[in-house]
Structures are given as C-alpha cells and as structure tokens.
Amino acid sequence: QVSNNYLTNCSDMSIGNAALIFGNTFANSKNSFQQSPVFHPNAIWHNNASGQTTYIYNNVFHDFDAQYQLMLIHPGWNGATNSSYYVYNNVWWNGARLNVDEATINVPNSNTYAYVFNNTCYGGAGVCMGIIDRGQTYHLTSVVAKNNHWISDSWTGNGFCYNPTGGCGTAGTVVDAFNITQGVAGAASQGYALANQFSPTAPGNISIGAGTNLTVLGLASLNSDKSGNTRPASGAWDAGA
C-alpha cells in the first residue's frame, strides 16, 4: 500500500506493485540530469502479477516536465494473466498522462484489463490518456474508460492512441463512453479552473450529470467523489473526479 504521501522533486516517485495507491500528491518534478533523453521518469510505474487487482484512486498529480509519465501501468507484465487495474477519482494537470502499457504481454487470452473511471485531467496542449502498443503479438483484453473529464486541445480522433513508433494500442475491446472532452478555453469559460482542481462550479456545467451510474461495481471508494461527497445510488453520476 502507498497512501497519503506528498512526493515532490523526484525523478521517480512510486515504482513497484502495491495493490492500493491512494490519497497521494505527486508534484513538481523534472527528468533527472543523470538520465539519457531516451529514458523517462514516472510518478507511478506499476506492474501487476498474475491474479492481481490494483486500485489507484484519490490521487493528485501536477507540474511535471515533458519527459514525465504520469502513470505507466502494465496489466500483463512478464506474461501476467487475470490482471486488472481500477484507476479512478484522480486529478492531474500540467504535464504527463496515464498510459496503459502492453509491454511484455506474451500469452493469448491473458485476461488483462484497465478500468479508468471518474478522473479529471487538464492536459492543455497534450492528451490525457493512451494505450501503448509495443508491437507484441498479444494484447490487452479490454480498456474501459467512463465518466472522465478530459480538458485538452489535442484530443482528436482516437484519444487513446499512442505508440512510440507510430500506430495505436490494440486492446481487444476499447470502451470510451460517458466521457466529457473540452478544449481549454471552453472549460475555462464554464469555471473549470486550477483554483478548484477543475471541478464544476455551477449546476449547468457540462460534467454535471454527464456520467453513468457505476454503483453496480461495488467499489465503496468509487461511490464517493474525491472530495468525499457520496455519489447517488441511482441516477446519473457527474463526469470527473
């Protein structure tokens, strides 16, 4: 478990395979001068073992340089199977993105999953999330993104498309539903601002009631938002953290 820490000015912050990562702030960091430009630092670099489910929630990430990865998560690391990530109620701004990485998936029917729910990202000129295809034969079983609020001026086409050598991640199933995407200017005009971590400020804001109800998942920590407000047991949820 990695919880309730404030981590700053580190070239790498959290590396490992803890099953719970929550309540942390990862902030204000740059690539180490000791690293070649071909390497990159990570706020969270994580690999799952076979049969592992990992929950990453209620974290804040902000102000990283261009080399940083926000989260680099590996559901099928070294051939792991029956592996799942739940990433939710996180907020990030000013640099970096969440990447679901297909590295070292090497078995068919791996049952590898990533569920990305109710996050808020201010990506600015960059995208908020990607699936990384490493050119391997086998791929993630499913990536499901719902109820996220993406604020980005670069979110065009398949927003989950990312491959260092070109092309897109090719998970067996990609679900992109009930997510709200806004440009930077449009979000600012509705009051989504750094001062309130890009949360809605008025009943008519675009993220209000835009999500789907995920109570059926039975995740107690998802049934409340990042601020501790209980989400409704029935009816629409808001998009975002």
Side-chain angles (χ1 to χ4, degrees):
Q1 176 175 312
V2 179
S3 61
N4 302 313
N5 300 287
Y6 187 93
L7 299 164
T8 186
N9 292 318
C10 302
S11 59
D12 276 301
M13 294 185 172
S14 176
I15 297 178
N17 58 357
L20 293 171
I21 303 174
F22 65 90
N24 303 285
T25 296
F26 303 87
N28 300 102
S29 295
K30 297 181 178 180
N31 193 24
S32 170
F33 72 90
Q34 295 177 321
Q35 291 182 307
S36 164
V38 299
F39 295 108
H40 60 80
N42 313 271
I44 295 177
W45 189 100
H46 194 283
N47 57 82
N48 264 0
S50 290
Q52 180 172 343
T53 300
T54 296
Y55 303 90
I56 303 173
Y57 64 96
N58 288 20
N59 300 287
V60 174
F61 306 80
H62 65 88
D63 295 299
F64 300 113
D65 75 4
Q67 294 294 327
Y68 244 82
Q69 303 276 4
L70 180 83
M71 283 183 254
L72 195 62
I73 58 176
H74 303 90
W77 187 250
N78 283 339
T81 59
N82 301 304
S83 160
S84 299
Y85 283 92
Y86 288 84
V87 180
Y88 55 93
N89 286 3
N90 301 287
V91 181
W92 61 92
W93 65 87
N94 292 351
R97 68 178 149 204
L98 161 63
N99 281 322
V100 185
D101 196 340
E102 296 192 301
T104 67
I105 294 176
N106 59 25
V107 294
N109 306 315
S110 59
N111 293 317
T112 46
Y113 303 89
Y115 302 100
V116 181
F117 301 141
N118 282 99
N119 299 285
T120 297
C121 163
Y122 179 87
V127 299
C128 292
M129 176 181 169
I131 303 169
I132 300 182
D133 182 350
R134 301 288 186 180
Q136 70 289 331
T137 300
Y138 303 111
H139 298 275
L140 289 160
T141 304
S142 183
V143 176
V144 179
K146 294 182 178 180
N147 296 0
N148 299 288
H149 187 191
W150 311 128
I151 302 171
S152 167
D153 285 337
S154 297
W155 205 268
T156 58
N158 176 5
F160 304 151
C161 175
Y162 178 66
N163 182 333
T165 58
C168 298
T170 51
T173 303
V174 176
V175 177
D176 178 3
F178 300 98
N179 301 300
I180 295 297
T181 303
Q182 285 183 291
V184 170
S189 72
Q190 288 201 353
Y192 295 101
L194 176 58
N196 58 16
Q197 294 191 3
F198 306 98
S199 61
T201 57
N205 285 167
I206 193 172
S207 64
I208 300 294
T212 189
N213 192 299
L214 298 175
T215 307
V216 67
L217 297 176
L219 283 175
S221 49
L222 177 61
N223 291 340
S224 296
D225 70 14
K226 184 180 173 299
S227 298
N229 302 303
T230 302
R231 293 184 167 117
S234 61
W237 285 7
D238 296 346

